[in-house]
Amino acid sequence: SDVVTVVDAEGAVWFVSPALRRVLGDDLPTAHPGAPVAPHFAALVHPDDRAAARLLLAAAVAGGPEYVSAAVGWRVRHARGGWRHVETTATN
């Protein structure tokens, strides 16, 4: 399933697609109008992979509207514990 996440330049998560719940479980936060879903998307990523997540976000922001990243793999926590391996691309 493709999970779509909208993140601002500071990393706050503002939208996640319904596929997120199918891939990562039902106990994940939901959006409230005017409030981010998560304070920083890297907080959802395995601690050992957070530097790569931050670099991907910085590259997307710096690359401007034409930017599309190469695929990057990392681990994201499942709602029931444990980690799921995901592959991510970023666009600005």
Side-chain angles (χ1 to χ4, degrees):
S1 296
D2 288 336
V3 174
V4 176
T5 306
V6 176
V7 179
D8 67 18
E10 286 76 41
V13 179
W14 288 91
F15 171 81
V16 293
S17 66
L20 182 82
R21 296 195 188 294
R22 289 192 305 274
V23 173
L24 297 178
D26 291 330
D27 298 330
L28 296 168
T30 57
H32 300 286
V37 175
H40 197 285
F41 87 105
L44 305 172
V45 175
H46 189 280
D48 292 344
D49 300 331
R50 287 182 185 160
R54 288 186 178 100
L55 285 174
L56 181 70
L57 175 63
V61 170
E66 306 282 321
Y67 180 83
V68 178
S69 74
V72 177
W74 51 48
R75 295 159 285 179
V76 178
R77 180 169 294 285
H78 189 275
R80 292 188 212 130
W83 299 95
R84 299 295 185 259
H85 290 265
V86 299
E87 185 177 80
T88 304
T89 58
T91 64
N92 184 339

